[in-house]
């Protein structure tokens, strides 16, 4: 997730200083480190874990009902195979077996559709959250670059399509990652404090 999003977040931040100057003022930043160690990233991940647990709980409940139906089908099958059961009774049992089988098939289909729908929605929501956090970090990088009058700020954690670091070497570049980490986490909750849990979404309430 991080490796897919970060390369699009920051390639370089260009400040207002003229490029015609003899010596450019260059800085580097580790966007991956900022993302991982930003307290809001951990909070977002915790919220995603809570939502994922809700989905799994619902799936477990649905699967338990399907297993109950499977056990009922086995009992009905035994009655159908029992030679001591009359033909008229077997006809009645066979109708019940067909109804139970259709119910089980429908519930299993609903379970799979529920899992696909909710998982996809959660993944999309997570991607949007991470993009928002990365954009917040990018803006802070830009502000810091302007504040310290840097011409360029390069993301030293960025990788090319061949998974080779984009930035291989910089001369006399200042790493502003530690400064940015302090700024990002200045409002982090104290140890032991937990972020507020999000309320269940409408789909969770109606499923």
């Amino acid at each position: 997730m991080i490796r897919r999003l970060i390369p699009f977040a920051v390639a370089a931040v260009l400040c207002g200083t003229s490029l015609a100057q003899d010596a450019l003022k260059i800085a580097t930043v580790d966007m991956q480190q900022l993302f991982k160690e930003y307290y809001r990233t951990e909070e977002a991940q915790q919220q995603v874990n809570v939502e994922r647990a809700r989905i799994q709980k619902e799936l477990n409940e649905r699967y338990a009902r399907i297993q109950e139906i499977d056990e009922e089908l086995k009992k009905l099958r035994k009655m159908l195979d029992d030679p001591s059961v009359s033909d008229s009774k077997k006809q009645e049992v066979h109708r019940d077996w067909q109804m139970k089988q259709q119910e089980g098939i429908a519930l299993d289909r609903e379970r799979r559709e529920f899992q696909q729908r909710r998982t996809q929605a959660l993944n999309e929501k997570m991607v949007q959250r991470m993009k928002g956090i990365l954009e917040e970090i990018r803006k802070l990088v830009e502000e810091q670059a302007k504040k310290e009058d840097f011409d360029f700020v390069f993301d030293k954690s960025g990788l090319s399509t061949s998974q080779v670091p984009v930035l291989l070497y910089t001369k006399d570049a200042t790493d502003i990652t530690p400064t940015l980490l302090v700024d990002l986490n200045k409002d982090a909750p104290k140890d032991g404090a937990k972020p507020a849990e999000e309320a269940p979404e409408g789909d969770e309430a109606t499923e």
Side-chain angles (χ1 to χ4, degrees):
M1 176 63 66
I2 296 173
R3 289 186 180 276
R4 289 201 301 268
L5 292 176
I6 285 181
F8 297 98
V10 171
V13 177
L14 176 62
C15 298
T17 304
S18 173
L19 297 182
Q21 292 178 338
D22 293 335
L24 293 175
K25 191 175 180 182
I26 299 175
T28 61
V29 65
D30 191 327
M31 286 293 290
Q32 195 165 154
Q33 182 182 358
L34 292 178
F35 181 82
K36 288 181 177 179
E37 298 184 16
Y38 186 19
Y39 78 95
R40 288 194 62 235
T41 302
E42 182 179 355
E43 288 182 348
Q45 186 60 58
Q46 289 175 358
Q47 291 169 353
V48 167
N49 291 341
V50 169
E51 293 178 38
R52 185 175 287 115
R54 288 179 183 148
I55 295 173
Q56 189 59 52
K57 181 176 182 293
E58 179 69 19
L59 286 171
N60 291 342
E61 292 172 354
R62 289 171 182 250
Y63 187 66
R65 176 53 187 156
I66 292 172
Q67 287 182 310
E68 290 176 3
I69 292 177
D70 188 54
E71 290 300 318
E72 293 173 13
L73 285 171
K74 289 179 181 179
K75 293 178 181 178
L76 292 173
R77 173 55 65 184
K78 286 182 179 180
M79 294 181 66
L80 289 173
D81 295 337
D82 189 348
S84 65
V85 178
S86 65
D87 290 343
S88 59
K89 180 63 176 178
K90 284 186 177 181
Q91 290 179 357
E92 180 183 344
V93 171
H94 186 261
R95 287 194 296 270
D96 291 342
W97 185 87
Q98 287 181 316
M99 292 178 61
K100 283 292 179 184
Q101 184 187 46
Q102 291 303 315
E103 181 183 358
I105 292 173
L107 286 176
D108 188 56
R109 181 176 62 252
E110 291 175 3
R111 179 188 64 84
R112 287 184 278 108
E113 291 174 351
F114 169 84
Q115 182 177 17
Q116 181 179 5
R117 183 176 67 254
R118 291 295 302 281
T119 300
Q120 181 178 351
L122 179 58
N123 289 340
E124 291 174 356
K125 187 175 182 180
M126 181 172 63
V127 168
Q128 290 304 314
R129 284 177 179 172
M130 298 312 175
K131 283 184 177 179
I133 291 173
L134 283 169
E135 178 60 18
E136 183 180 346
I137 295 173
R138 190 201 66 78
K139 288 181 179 179
L140 186 63
V141 171
E142 185 173 355
E143 291 173 1
Q144 188 68 25
K146 291 178 179 178
K147 179 180 178 181
E148 297 191 39
D149 198 27
F150 288 112
D151 295 295
F152 288 99
V153 176
F154 292 100
D155 176 17
K156 63 182 182 180
S157 66
L159 298 177
S160 67
T161 55
S162 58
Q163 300 302 301
V164 176
V166 174
L167 187 63
L168 297 177
Y169 173 76
T170 55
K171 181 180 179 181
D172 300 329
T174 302
D175 186 359
I176 60 175
T177 305
T179 300
L180 291 171
L181 271 177
V182 172
D183 199 3
L184 282 171
N185 292 317
K186 64 182 179 181
D187 296 323
K190 296 179 180 179
D191 293 342
K194 295 182 179 180
E197 182 177 318
E198 291 186 350
E201 296 182 359
D203 194 27
E204 292 173 348
T206 57
E207 287 293 340

